[in-house]
Amino acid sequence: MRVPKMRVRVCGVGSYLPKRVLTNTELSRSLDTSDEWIRVRTGIRQRHIAADDECTSDLALHASRAALGQSSRSVDEIDAIVLATTTPENTFPATAARLQHKLGISRSIPCHDVQAVCAGFVFALHSAWNMLLLGQVRCVLVVGSEIYSRSIIDWQDRSTCVLFGDGAGAFILESIEEDAFSKNPCGYILDVMTSTDGSFYDMLYIDGGAGSSTNVGHLKMNGSVVFREGIAKMANSVTELLSRNNLRAEDISLLVPHQANQRIMDGVARKLGVLQERVVSTVGEHGNISAATIPAALSHACAEGMVKRGDLIAITAMGGGFSWGGALIRW
Ligand code: COA
């Protein structure tokens, strides 16, 4: 029996940012910081903060509906949900299960969360890509959704709290057989890679959690190590992907790096030799929204008309673990 070779298409991208905006100037009224310090060191101007009655699955729901709308797929066509988050709604069950219910999916389908912090969306994409390539499912909703503002940020710690915000982003992925794909060869994932080096565990972590303490804990970070390794690991991920697909940095039409800090993004682009105008930057608008940054930034690029058919898009992220990875998409 001939097993059909599958391709995986990105057929919808969407995002959601909560309405409330917290500017650097507002922050500096209650914290020993300034708009200038934050902007110069990070490029961040403001962050969005979830309303008191908004939970992680609510942000995910908005982003998922936006991605579904763009994909012209119906909610009934979703065969699986993979949701990346560092801030699950509850310690268990998976926030993906809550999202399934809120989307009104009454069929039993596999729904699970992925925890790889700021690289979470790339890990979720990798997991969904494999399910689709194996032909196990036909259509997967991949989501990154985060509410950092509520409990894991210490709002008295100026070295970390100014960096993060809340938001969500989503992709709708669909598998198609090679024969059908060859008639319309666009919008597909060329390759994905992920990796982890746990020796960096203590460089970026939350000092709490159900398996080690009695509280949720707060984010702790060695900023300079994260800065240095972030540039190296994101640039290396893209280099590895390009090399194993016989492509060069000059072939990249659009680089969508994890939106943590403009200076880190500039460093990644410089190391790869990608021109500044080819780098999508939304960090000024929402700060670091962890697992949501990649789909939110790509959604912004689509809305702004920055993406054309045939473009090569490189995405890459690094976060706690350290965990990192990337993907190449031929639009
Ligand atoms: N406002 C004003 N001053 C601040 C401040 C703030 N929000 N945060 C720190 N400072 C102070 C420090 O206390 C330090 O003061 P000191 O010299 O008197 O000790 C000074 O600014 C310089 O701090 P430093 O850590 O050297 O600044 P930096 O230029 O390295 O930038 C980061 C700090 C956090 C912006 C930078 O290290 C970074 O972006 N790291 C990566 C963080 C990240 O992206 N994490 C998530 C990855 S997924």
Side-chain angles (χ1 to χ4, degrees):
M1 192 184 80
R2 180 176 161 263
V3 179
K5 192 171 172 239
M6 307 305 269
R7 295 280 187 154
V8 175
R9 270 211 168 118
V10 181
C11 53
V13 182
S15 65
Y16 173 75
L17 295 170
K19 285 193 180 52
R20 190 179 157 225
V21 168
L22 177 62
T23 64
N24 293 344
T25 307
E26 273 177 271
L27 246 183
S28 67
R29 289 190 196 118
S30 56
L31 192 70
D32 181 15
T33 188
S34 67
D35 175 49
E36 194 198 353
W37 192 97
I38 303 170
R39 265 190 302 105
V40 170
R41 294 295 216 294
T42 70
I44 298 166
R45 297 187 309 277
Q46 58 180 39
R47 67 283 302 136
H48 292 247
I49 305 292
D52 290 348
D53 61 353
E54 275 182 319
C55 294
T56 306
S57 66
D58 297 310
L59 275 53
L61 181 65
H62 287 294
S64 303
R65 285 186 174 147
L68 274 166
Q70 212 211 45
S71 73
S72 66
R73 297 290 173 282
S74 92
V75 80
D76 301 324
E77 293 175 80
I78 297 172
D79 295 322
I81 299 175
V82 187
L83 187 145
T85 189
T86 309
T87 50
E89 199 140 317
N90 294 95
T91 304
F92 77 80
T95 303
R98 182 79 99 191
L99 177 62
Q100 176 203 21
H101 185 65
K102 285 189 176 171
L103 279 165
I105 302 174
S106 50
R107 279 178 306 127
S108 302
I109 58 167
C111 300
H112 70 275
D113 286 2
V114 166
Q115 161 60 298
V117 203
C118 296
F121 192 81
V122 181
F123 276 69
L125 194 69
H126 206 173
S127 163
W129 189 57
N130 282 321
M131 288 159 86
L132 288 157
L133 284 181
L134 285 170
Q136 294 169 339
V137 287
R138 199 84 187 169
C139 180
V140 183
L141 167 62
V142 186
V143 195
S145 185
E146 302 282 15
I147 300 186
Y148 267 56
S149 69
R150 191 155 290 151
S151 48
I152 64 170
I153 289 298
D154 174 358
W155 287 103
Q156 306 305 313
D157 177 7
R158 67 176 183 172
S159 66
T160 54
C161 75
V162 301
L163 304 173
F164 297 91
D166 305 335
F171 280 11
I172 306 291
L173 302 183
E174 180 184 69
S175 66
I176 56 164
E177 286 161 19
E178 185 70 41
D179 296 349
F181 170 78
S182 57
K183 295 182 188 121
N184 185 16
C186 65
Y188 66 102
I189 296 176
L190 270 172
D191 203 355
V192 189
M193 64 82 62
T194 48
S195 200
T196 297
D197 180 348
S199 67
F200 289 103
Y201 193 95
D202 297 330
M203 295 295 107
L204 179 57
Y205 69 105
I206 305 270
D207 65 350
S212 65
S213 73
T214 52
N215 59 63
V216 174
H218 284 136
L219 191 144
K220 305 285 170 195
M221 171 182 81
N222 183 326
S224 57
V225 173
V226 175
F227 194 98
R228 186 189 68 223
E229 294 296 323
I231 293 175
K233 290 184 165 37
M234 284 195 271
N236 291 345
S237 304
V238 176
T239 304
E240 181 181 330
L241 286 163
L242 289 170
S243 143
R244 68 193 200 192
N245 288 278
N246 298 317
L247 291 161
R248 295 163 312 155
E250 302 89 275
D251 298 320
I252 295 175
S253 318
L254 217 55
L255 176 66
V256 187
H258 172 48
Q259 311 281 314
N261 178 322
Q262 188 60 49
R263 286 160 59 220
I264 296 180
M265 288 153 58
D266 293 346
V268 174
R270 232 183 349 260
K271 200 158 190 284
L272 286 169
V274 171
L275 298 173
Q276 205 61 54
E277 60 262 31
R278 297 192 173 184
V279 182
V280 178
S281 175
T282 53
V283 70
E285 153 74 20
H286 52 58
N288 184 346
I289 47 174
S290 195
T293 67
I294 299 267
L298 187 56
S299 170
H300 166 85
C302 292
E304 293 295 306
M306 293 167 73
V307 196
K308 309 186 298 299
R309 189 181 160 144
D311 276 354
L312 180 68
I313 300 173
I315 69 177
T316 183
M318 190 201 86
F322 290 150
S323 286
W324 64 90
L328 296 177
I329 302 169
R330 179 67 73 185
W331 204 252

